[in-house]
Amino acid sequence: MSTPLQFNLTAADIPTHWYNLNADFSEPLPPPLHPGTRQPVTPDLMTAIFPANLVAQEMSAERSIEIPQEVRDVYALYRPTPLLRAVRLEKALQTPAHIYYKYEGVSPAGSHKPNTAIPQAYYNKVAGTKRLATETGAGQWGSSLAMACQVFGLECTVYMVKVSYQQKPYRKLLMQTYGATVHASPSMETEFGRKALAEDPQSNGSLGIAISEAVEDTVKHPHTKYALGSVLNHVCIHQSVIGIEAIKQMELAGEEPDIVYGCAGGGSNFAGIAFPFIEQNLKHGKKYRIVAVEPASCPSLTQGELRYDFGDTAELTPLMMMYTLGHKFMPPSIHAGGLRYHGMAPMVSHCRKLGLIEAVACPQLKVFESAVLFARTEGIVPAPESSHALAVLIDEAKRCREEGKKKVLMFNLTGNGLLDLAAFDSYLSGHMKDVGSDD
Ligand SMILES: *Cc1c(COP(=O)(O)O)cnc(C)c1O
């Protein structure tokens, strides 16, 4: 018998509830603060840009939150996602370690982001929202939200960081194919965008600027709400479907992971794979090691400070307690666009503070070396973001080889890299450099 590679669930196994780690923290998460008064923000302040049902989730400490049937029906387009064992990668590494990956790249948008885009569109729809505004970096979030808005009959307007809009046209086209309106940010659509352009007509834009534009758009248009693809508590909660499924699938595989790896940009996919395993550690005496991997060039968890900071450049958002490089930080244009955020989700930051997770940073050349090895052994071209987790997992698998030790290693393959091939071109042609890393 050859080694089984897939550990599949059926539609009946699509989770019925999301898991909210806020119920199980030993000390409560510090609340977001109003930037003027520095008092905890009240729900009515947040309902200026989010619908009340999502604000309730954002502030909830309920452990288990029921997933609406309408959301599960859309999840059924691609969930449960596969869990696979990377036997060919193990062979190439000659490691006694067993390597598993949860593959979120099978979603329509090619990443884990629809896990939250779908419920966010749904909750907005039932709350009476007609139009959603958002920002996107390389376009993974914008395309996920554009798809979800289409499913639930909402209009979608996306402010896309200008350098990506110009250099990475495919996700822009994907958003337009899904019916969204896409503006290069900074744009002439908002006061903040016009100001940014007046100061620097050549501005490449940044995620912080694009968030500021989307928030301004939201407050200035009727029936419009704002949607964010990472960082916030409700996003981390929605992503828990990843870890909930993975735990069941590891049972089918008959093994338990010694170490679980996830890449961390804003923190949402990491939260999604990690938090259900952390629940097992906290409540069921398990000892899973859980490792967040971030880019060496945007190292909020490993080099940032834990303090209150803004989520955006224009200082429009509430202050959040998080590991941050500062809201004016301009990350270098590394090829893993989805990991270029100055801060880290407050829930993930809190996990780090309480010692529930570990964090490491990885330089991009090593990331792409690992990504290419994965493509050539497992056949899937991994997203550059996901390949951060993979690269650090491969280090551990090599250590297992040197020490002759079997360990079970798992990572979250958050997306495929089929729309990131220009980055692979840069790597394969030898033009890529490590930026802002110290090795
Ligand atoms: C957006 C994105 C990430 C990073 O975002 P998180 O909120 O940190 O999960 C990782 N992988 C892919 C494929 C992405 O699109």
Side-chain angles (χ1 to χ4, degrees):
M1 269 297 277
S2 49
T3 315
L5 297 184
Q6 294 201 23
F7 305 93
N8 291 335
L9 302 172
T10 67
D13 298 307
I14 296 172
T16 55
H17 292 75
W18 291 298
Y19 170 61
N20 181 5
L21 178 59
N22 277 324
D24 291 319
F25 279 132
S26 58
E27 15 174 306
L29 189 69
L33 302 183
H34 187 285
T37 65
R38 292 212 150 230
Q39 292 302 305
V41 295
T42 50
D44 52 305
L45 195 86
M46 295 181 72
T47 51
I49 56 170
F50 296 110
N53 47 14
L54 281 175
V55 171
Q57 266 181 18
E58 184 64 19
M59 299 190 154
S60 170
E62 202 183 331
R63 177 171 295 113
S64 185
I65 297 175
E66 188 168 4
I67 305 177
Q69 187 56 42
E70 293 87 339
V71 170
R72 295 182 78 229
D73 288 345
V74 188
Y75 275 171
L77 285 170
Y78 65 99
R79 305 211 72 83
T81 61
L83 179 88
L84 293 112
R85 181 157 161 210
V87 171
R88 291 177 178 81
L89 175 64
E90 292 168 14
K91 271 218 186 83
L93 295 169
Q94 296 178 297
T95 179
H98 289 187
I99 301 174
Y100 291 88
Y101 57 99
K102 179 73 168 153
Y103 186 35
E104 293 293 312
V106 295
S107 82
S111 76
H112 66 287
K113 289 192 170 76
N115 296 337
T116 185
I118 293 162
Q120 287 194 49
Y122 167 79
Y123 285 113
N124 271 287
K125 179 72 181 180
V126 300
T129 306
K130 303 276 184 245
R131 175 174 174 271
L132 282 177
T134 196
E135 73 293 328
T136 196
Q140 293 104 327
W141 168 242
S143 49
S144 301
L145 191 69
M147 184 272 292
C149 282
Q150 195 53 237
V151 168
F152 290 107
L154 299 172
E155 282 178 55
C156 182
T157 293
V158 183
Y159 292 84
M160 183 175 192
V161 176
K162 195 199 278 167
V163 62
S164 304
Y165 183 94
Q166 290 167 340
Q167 293 177 2
K168 300 174 185 166
Y170 289 111
R171 285 205 185 84
K172 172 190 73 183
L173 292 167
L174 186 56
M175 290 184 253
Q176 290 169 337
T177 303
Y178 286 134
T181 303
V182 187
H183 302 293
S185 166
S187 75
M188 295 299 283
E189 302 294 310
T190 66
E191 221 166 276
F192 189 77
R194 289 189 290 273
K195 193 171 133 241
L197 284 174
E199 280 166 16
D200 177 9
Q202 307 307 322
S203 170
N204 278 330
S206 72
L207 213 46
I209 294 174
I211 294 176
S212 303
E213 285 205 273
V215 171
E216 184 186 328
D217 175 305
T218 302
V219 296
K220 289 186 175 166
H221 286 84
H223 309 296
T224 297
K225 294 291 181 196
Y226 171 68
L228 191 61
S230 186
V231 181
L232 297 178
N233 300 349
H234 66 269
V235 180
C236 293
I237 292 168
H238 296 159
Q239 292 294 352
S240 66
V241 289
I242 303 171
I244 293 168
E245 289 179 6
I247 287 173
K248 274 197 185 173
Q249 288 166 303
M250 287 305 297
E251 275 169 28
L252 289 179
E255 301 207 271
E256 291 191 67
D258 293 294
I259 315 179
V260 177
Y261 299 88
C263 63
S268 72
N269 90 84
F270 175 75
I273 188 93
F275 289 0
F277 283 97
I278 292 176
E279 181 187 26
Q280 297 292 313
N281 286 349
L282 291 175
K283 302 223 300 270
H284 303 289
K286 300 290 187 184
K287 298 216 154 41
Y288 305 122
R289 280 180 58 200
I290 302 180
V291 180
V293 186
E294 59 184 7
S297 55
C298 194
S300 53
L301 268 181
T302 54
Q303 308 270 318
E305 267 182 88
L306 180 63
R307 62 175 169 87
Y308 273 107
D309 194 14
F310 291 99
D312 73 322
T313 311
E315 309 186 348
L316 295 173
T317 69
L319 293 160
M320 290 177 288
M321 176 59 91
M322 59 184 178
Y323 281 94
T324 177
L325 298 164
H327 63 283
K328 304 281 188 198
F329 178 78
M330 278 283 184
S333 56
I334 57 161
H335 291 278
L339 302 182
R340 296 177 67 220
Y341 186 65
H342 67 271
M344 184 55 61
M347 289 181 80
V348 173
S349 295
H350 204 51
C351 284
R352 174 102 172 107
K353 183 193 165 209
L354 298 177
L356 303 177
I357 60 168
E358 303 162 41
V360 291
C362 188
Q364 78 174 344
L365 283 175
K366 184 170 154 158
V367 167
F368 277 86
E369 185 192 336
S370 308
V372 168
L373 175 63
F374 192 84
R376 291 177 186 178
T377 50
E378 293 299 310
I380 296 170
V381 178
E385 290 86 355
S386 334
S387 304
H388 284 72
L390 171 67
V392 173
L393 178 151
I394 286 176
D395 278 346
E396 183 68 29
K398 289 179 177 166
R399 251 192 308 278
C400 289
R401 176 180 68 204
E402 279 146 28
E403 295 170 2
K405 247 196 217 146
K406 182 202 145 182
K407 281 187 190 168
V408 179
L409 310 176
M410 190 179 98
F411 81 105
N412 192 19
L413 180 50
T414 52
N416 69 60
L418 293 177
L419 292 184
D420 301 296
L421 291 178
F424 284 83
D425 179 31
S426 166
Y427 172 75
L428 293 170
S429 64
H431 290 115
M432 186 179 284
K433 290 195 183 68
D434 277 334
V435 274
S437 70
D438 39 22
D439 71 351

